[in-house]
Amino acid sequence: MQLPVIILAGGKGTRVKKITKNYPKALLKFYDKPFIEYQINYLIKQNVKEIIVSIRYKPKEFIEYFKKKKFDNIKIRIIKDGKDLVGTGGAVKKILNKINQSCFIIYGDSYLPINFSKIKDTFLKNKKKPIMVIYKNNNKFDKSNVYIKGNKFIYDKFNKTKKMQYIDYGLSILNSKDFKSFKNKKSFDLSEVYNKLSIENKMYYKKVNKKFYEIGSYGGIKNFKRYIKKNEIHK
């Protein structure tokens, strides 16, 4: 079973606005390659066959990039959020309603060096229950937003407490049916969906040990640049 990957690349990059004035975060260049190219190349290595890129901020730049750059052995679709703000939740709901199948969800500013097949296997073993990947963070890289309680976990981005040791890794698997409570809501954040599913014990979690990399902050940009150079991914 192959799962498409949705890349949420519609954000403005307000935390790094000095360098996203002319380009979306996902198109910021690292050694002459845009960030999204590193993501796509890694997903190809993970045997992903289809990617759906959700865009809103500076869509022309994305369209121009994908006109010039072609990737082998993978299908890439571009979907615009539209003129109205729908948030990450609204964007994902719109796509899932169109394709009617489960998808990996990642963000356009995150590089996740883990085995996607293992996450998919966990998803299938748990009867296709929605799944969130989590990382034991202990507030080291960002504020932790997940705690485990018995056999369930609670994700809460807005009410963070000391008992939260884990953080959302930026990778999940969702289906359109997971948005039933939001069917009449047009604009909302994906974190609201995660929060509701976790509270109602309708979502599974998978722990991973590998650090993730992000370019949503200036510190994150420096760390990612060091990482790709050290691992010679930039060549």
Side-chain angles (χ1 to χ4, degrees), residues 170-186:
L171 175 63
S172 63
I173 300 177
L174 295 173
N175 191 286
S176 59
K177 62 180 173 24
D178 302 318
F179 288 76
K180 284 182 180 179
S181 299
F182 296 83
K183 64 180 180 180
N184 296 320
K185 200 169 182 179
K186 187 175 180 181

Side-chain angles (χ1 to χ4, degrees), residues 1 8 22 36 45 51 53 72 78 102 106 126 129 144 160-161 164 172 176 188 190 206 210 218 220 223 227 229:
M1 179 185 183
L8 293 169
N22 298 315
I36 198 167
K45 289 179 181 178
I51 294 173
V53 185
D72 296 328
I78 310 297
S102 299
I106 68 173
N126 285 278
K129 187 176 182 179
S144 299
K160 298 170 184 176
T161 65
M164 291 177 167
S172 63
S176 59
F188 56 96
L190 198 53
K206 173 72 174 176
K210 285 193 175 181
Y218 294 110
N223 288 335
Y227 170 79
K229 187 175 183 181

Side-chain angles (χ1 to χ4, degrees), residues 15 17 28 42 46 74 78 83 85 89 100 119 131 141 151 155 191 195 231:
R15 288 190 296 163
K17 59 185 178 181
L28 290 178
Y42 185 77
Q46 293 296 304
I74 196 161
I78 310 297
K83 292 182 180 180
L85 283 171
N100 195 30
I119 308 304
I131 185 170
F141 304 111
N151 293 324
Y155 166 91
S191 61
N195 177 246
N231 292 277

Side-chain angles (χ1 to χ4, degrees), residues 12-29:
K12 286 187 175 182
T14 52
R15 288 190 296 163
V16 289
K17 59 185 178 181
K18 289 181 181 179
I19 54 177
T20 56
K21 184 178 180 180
N22 298 315
Y23 293 97
K25 274 187 296 185
L27 293 182
L28 290 178
K29 289 190 176 181

Side-chain angles (χ1 to χ4, degrees), residues 9 23-24 27 36 53-71 76-81:
Y23 293 97
L27 293 182
I36 198 167
V53 185
S54 175
I55 62 173
R56 186 176 191 278
Y57 177 63
K58 294 190 177 295
K60 289 181 181 179
E61 281 77 359
F62 278 106
I63 292 168
E64 188 64 27
Y65 167 72
F66 283 108
K67 276 183 180 178
K68 293 178 180 177
K69 178 67 181 179
K70 302 300 179 185
F71 296 88
I76 299 176
R77 285 196 279 168
I78 310 297
I79 295 182
K80 296 181 183 179
D81 283 0

Side-chain angles (χ1 to χ4, degrees), residues 216-231:
S217 65
Y218 294 110
I221 288 171
K222 290 180 181 178
N223 288 335
F224 179 68
K225 195 170 185 178
R226 283 196 293 263
Y227 170 79
I228 58 175
K229 187 175 183 181
K230 179 181 177 181
N231 292 277

Side-chain angles (χ1 to χ4, degrees), residues 128-141:
K128 300 183 180 180
K129 187 176 182 179
I131 185 170
M132 173 188 283
V133 178
I134 61 174
Y135 174 77
K136 196 164 188 179
N137 177 54
N138 288 319
N139 293 318
K140 186 176 180 181
F141 304 111

